Amino acid sequence: MPGLPMRAVAAQVMQAVEQGQSLTQCLPPALKRLPENERPALQALCFGTCRWFFQLDDELNSRLKKPLKPADRLIHHLMLVALFQLRHSEQATYAVLNETVEACRRLDKPHLTGLVNAVLRAAEREGGPTARSDYERYAHPPWMVEKLRHNWPDDWAAILEANNTQAPMTLRVNARRFSRDTYLGLLTEAGIEASATHFAPHGIQLARPVPVDRLPYFEDGAVSVQDEAAQLCTTLLDLAPGQRVLDACAAPGGKTCAILEACEGLQEVVAIDESAERLPRIEENLERLDLHATVQQADAAQTNQWWNGNEFDRILLDVPCSATGVIRRHPDIKLLRRESDILPLASIQLGLLEALWPTLKPGGRLVYATCSVFPQENQRIIRRFLKQTTEAILLDLDVPWGRETEAGRQMLPAPNGHDGFFYAVLEKPEQ
Ligand SMILES: C[S@@+](CC[C@H](N)C(=O)[O-])C[C@H]1O[C@@H](n2cnc3c(N)ncnc32)[C@H](O)[C@@H]1O
């Protein structure tokens, strides 16, 4: 349907997310259907509605005498978008009401305009309901709240609250091009307020997000957008010239590029990813930054299909995970992730670690990383691996960030700071 109003498009995006698509998949084509000046607002509507979905959906269901017919489900999403605005934005109420009713008509559901109008007017008049549960209060799926409460008895509420905040935009300065101080100066000249990150040596956090084309020399490879916690992976690798490095789950290449920037004179960096769709992103990032890596599409766990027997000095294993440490940046995870995903993910994670260990040189180091806050994908994987692998040593990390777990270090998402991340560093003894 061409020419639909923005909020109707937002409802379509929400419907696609409910049907299992990620915002990364369904938002870009939706944005292209709108004039450029409306795109940031569409993005904000979709992110906000996902972020608060579990609160808004409960409220809407309690306001509807009976659920809408499956064929009218889009209008349910249209009302969720409007409720998000009423509860969590500064948008004027009359505009939300009028535009939503109009969008309902434009979506060929004129028979539902009365209902939409009545529901939203009542919502406006009566105000938001008092949360009846922690799921509603924190707007997370029940299983996630329970799992976090179990895993983090002292921190679960802070984690849930942090997940509902907006993540800052953080940059990694390309150390080959600029020092962090010099680039901070360029940002000041460009009128962009920013400060150095606390822990990552090349990180800069912006006071407010800006489009990348406003960043000085972005196209020339001066900086990349990368969270501070993600940047810290590189510092754990202890890179030195002459090393061969494997980035085993590399797409879109953020950490591959960070590795190459951090150390000139590496012998080779091999970047592998199994996703043919995501692989070109590695090449694009390398090209913009004028860096070189050997990029290969493969299932990293099938070493017989891609490994030539030449051992690596360093391995970064940034495994696929639940991404529960980056919910701020991907609020659709709340709708998409299922509790039943975690066990299969843990088995893939352990499988990758087991398969890649033989490719590490004696004396070499492997960094295992996830953007998860579930111990099941983090310290428990490392524990299980150490139990069965006598020739692996878990290193103590003497760093001023994160918190120690039984096997590795955990960063929890920090409001107006870094994402949630886990790291463990394993060393293979010299023979
Ligand atoms: C957490 S993301 C990696 C992010 C990346 N390291 C970065 O910093 O830009 C995990 C990646 O693992 C890839 N992946 C999942 N299973 C894999 C496998 N068996 N072999 C190789 N890559 C895999 C996914 O396609 C995804 O791109």
Side-chain angles (χ1 to χ4, degrees):
M1 265 186 258
L4 278 178
M6 189 215 323
R7 64 183 56 252
V9 178
Q12 290 174 332
V13 170
M14 287 308 301
Q15 175 138 306
V17 172
E18 190 181 57
Q19 288 166 353
Q21 283 191 45
S22 69
L23 283 178
T24 311
Q25 289 170 315
C26 63
L27 193 53
L31 289 167
K32 285 208 186 108
R33 288 162 47 200
L34 290 178
E36 213 152 314
N37 62 342
E38 290 186 7
R39 292 176 188 175
L42 175 68
Q43 176 144 338
L45 276 188
C46 297
F47 269 66
T49 309
C50 282
R51 184 165 288 138
W52 297 105
F53 178 88
F54 284 90
Q55 196 177 78
L56 305 170
D57 198 48
D58 273 6
E59 177 179 352
L60 182 54
N61 287 330
S62 71
R63 291 191 176 282
L64 292 170
K65 286 204 188 73
K66 55 180 180 39
L68 297 184
K69 290 189 202 121
D72 295 329
R73 185 71 185 162
L74 194 53
I75 303 306
H76 183 93
H77 292 292
L78 186 69
M79 287 192 277
L80 286 180
V81 171
L83 268 186
F84 158 66
Q85 289 183 296
L86 292 182
R87 300 287 174 249
H88 298 282
S89 85
E90 303 289 306
Q91 193 80 22
T93 307
Y94 69 89
V96 175
L97 263 65
N98 293 346
E99 288 171 19
T100 305
V101 169
E102 170 59 16
C104 181
R105 203 169 285 126
R106 294 284 304 280
L107 286 166
D108 283 336
K109 303 284 180 189
H111 59 289
L112 292 174
T113 51
L115 173 82
V116 167
N117 192 35
V119 167
L120 295 182
R121 274 193 195 287
E124 207 282 298
R125 198 172 51 240
E126 293 160 16
T130 335
R132 285 165 301 177
S133 65
D134 286 334
Y135 325 135
E136 255 179 77
R137 181 170 307 116
Y138 296 109
H140 278 67
W143 73 266
M144 221 182 254
V145 175
E146 290 318 323
K147 201 171 177 68
L148 285 171
R149 204 199 305 265
H150 177 72
N151 288 156
W152 295 100
D154 297 329
D155 303 277
W156 64 275
I159 297 172
L160 296 171
E161 272 170 12
N163 287 351
N164 290 338
T165 61
Q166 213 144 7
M169 181 167 177
T170 306
L171 309 177
R172 182 189 75 241
V173 179
N174 180 353
R176 294 195 184 194
R177 302 288 308 278
F178 291 104
S179 73
R180 173 161 70 179
D181 282 348
T182 308
Y183 199 78
L184 275 167
L186 291 174
L187 288 172
T188 308
E189 277 170 32
I192 298 171
E193 199 185 325
S195 54
T197 49
H198 292 297
F199 307 118
H202 306 296
I204 289 181
Q205 188 173 312
L206 304 188
R208 279 164 295 281
V210 299
V212 288
D213 56 17
R214 275 200 56 205
L215 297 170
Y217 306 111
F218 177 80
E219 271 314 315
D220 303 328
V223 281
S224 302
V225 177
Q226 189 178 44
D227 179 73
E228 181 178 17
Q231 293 185 37
L232 291 169
C233 289
T234 325
T235 64
L236 297 176
L237 279 167
D238 188 30
L239 297 166
Q243 290 173 343
R244 289 190 76 237
V245 183
L246 170 68
D247 186 356
C249 297
K255 297 185 189 74
T256 312
C257 294
I259 288 168
L260 285 155
E261 286 172 10
C263 184
E264 288 194 51
L266 292 172
Q267 194 189 118
E268 187 184 17
V269 173
V270 178
I272 288 184
D273 203 281
E274 74 169 357
S275 160
E277 209 181 313
R278 287 162 64 88
L279 214 65
R281 297 285 314 284
I282 308 180
E283 301 280 12
E284 280 163 32
N285 280 320
L286 287 166
E287 196 174 322
R288 183 180 61 83
L289 295 160
D290 195 21
L291 298 168
H292 180 75
T294 310
V295 180
Q296 231 173 312
Q297 188 201 343
D299 174 350
Q302 304 295 321
T303 49
N304 58 340
Q305 288 176 15
W306 61 267
W307 186 47
N308 61 9
N310 202 349
E311 290 162 333
F312 295 99
D313 300 284
R314 297 290 182 262
I315 297 177
L316 174 61
L317 182 50
D318 186 21
V319 287
C321 71
S322 62
T324 40
V326 294
I327 285 180
R328 301 180 303 176
R329 298 186 193 278
H330 302 280
D332 48 334
I333 289 171
K334 291 179 178 182
L335 285 86
L336 297 172
R337 194 66 65 227
R338 302 273 175 267
E339 187 171 16
S340 56
D341 295 341
I342 309 301
L343 212 55
L345 276 170
S347 135
I348 290 170
Q349 291 154 353
L350 185 61
L352 278 162
L353 188 48
E354 286 168 349
L356 289 168
W357 190 250
T359 73
L360 183 67
K361 197 181 273 181
R365 181 184 269 218
L366 180 148
V367 173
Y368 175 92
T370 76
C371 55
S372 166
V373 293
F374 292 148
Q376 219 176 331
E377 303 177 86
N378 296 342
Q379 56 265 42
R380 286 198 213 133
I381 298 293
I382 301 301
R383 272 269 153 265
R384 283 164 71 188
F385 180 70
L386 288 172
K387 232 183 202 167
Q388 65 197 46
T389 318
T390 46
E391 46 138 27
I393 301 168
L394 175 67
L395 297 190
D396 267 340
L397 297 183
D398 183 17
V399 289
W401 42 262
R403 53 178 82 192
E404 200 155 335
T405 73
E406 54 167 323
R409 230 168 159 79
Q410 179 79 55
M411 293 276 246
L412 296 177
N416 199 34
H418 54 74
D419 286 341
F421 238 86
F422 173 83
Y423 324 77
V425 184
L426 299 169
E427 205 169 76
K428 190 183 267 192
E430 297 277 4
Q431 277 157 343

